[in-house]
Amino acid sequence: MDLNKLFKLFDSNEPEDKSVIVNEQLLEHPYIYMGLFKKLIINYEMFSQQLFQFMRSADNDLDVDQMEKAGVHMVYWRAYNHIEKIDLTQDFHVDTIRAYTDDKFIDALNKCLQYYEDIEEYEKCAFLKKILDITNLS
């Protein structure tokens, strides 16, 4: 995606470099990390059920169970990759978690925590549990 073309659509008199800097700052906001984490897990849950059901009915020769395992791993790995960017030592990040937590975010945290417990990646579990504890305090 060419950001310069995107920002030209708004016909702003501001320099193009400033728009790109604002966009880069926005992408580093903890709210964005929370949103990406939540959307990946929630959307995958809905989409994967339909997709794998279709694949099972479409072709009996496909090893859908292996595909499902690989898909689950990729989604949770990518979701964790986003959420781990939150720095729990920064008050701003903790305040953002408290301010923007909703039921879907907590649900995604619990699902991710369960996934990493099942595969015994306890360092990731500890980090997710800290975030979950922050959401319970809000």
Side-chain angles (χ1 to χ4, degrees):
M1 174 194 284
D2 186 359
L3 293 177
N4 292 328
K5 287 182 181 178
L6 178 67
F7 287 112
K8 284 181 184 177
L9 294 174
F10 298 104
D11 197 28
S12 174
N13 293 330
E14 296 179 306
E16 291 178 24
D17 291 337
K18 185 175 182 180
S19 298
V20 172
I21 290 170
V22 170
N23 189 30
E24 288 173 2
Q25 289 173 347
L26 179 64
L27 290 176
E28 295 175 7
H29 195 285
Y31 178 71
I32 299 298
Y33 301 142
M34 290 173 65
L36 290 169
F37 172 82
K38 177 174 68 174
K39 285 293 187 185
L40 269 170
I41 293 174
I42 300 300
N43 288 347
Y44 176 76
E45 293 290 322
M46 293 171 47
F47 175 72
S48 68
Q49 292 171 0
Q50 296 170 357
L51 176 66
F52 295 126
Q53 182 180 11
F54 170 75
M55 291 176 135
R56 281 187 177 90
S57 65
D59 189 351
N60 291 333
D61 294 333
L62 286 176
D63 189 356
V64 178
D65 292 334
Q66 286 291 48
M67 293 170 62
E68 195 168 359
K69 282 182 181 179
V72 167
H73 176 74
M74 288 186 339
V75 166
Y76 283 101
W77 176 83
R78 188 65 186 145
Y80 186 84
N81 184 265
H82 290 302
I83 201 72
E84 75 176 342
K85 293 176 185 171
I86 292 179
D87 185 354
L88 299 178
T89 63
Q90 291 188 19
D91 290 338
F92 175 67
H93 287 225
V94 173
D95 292 342
T96 301
I97 292 170
R98 287 186 180 130
Y100 293 106
T101 291
D102 61 8
D103 291 339
K104 287 184 179 182
F105 181 69
I106 293 171
D107 185 43
L109 276 173
N110 283 319
K111 287 177 181 182
C112 194
L113 182 60
Q114 183 62 53
Y115 172 77
Y116 282 113
E117 282 177 2
D118 291 345
I119 64 170
E120 299 179 2
E121 290 202 30
Y122 298 118
E123 297 83 13
K124 291 178 180 175
C125 292
F127 181 73
L128 293 167
K129 179 68 171 112
K130 287 178 186 176
I131 295 174
L132 199 55
D133 289 345
I134 291 168
T135 65
N136 290 332
L137 296 175
S138 56

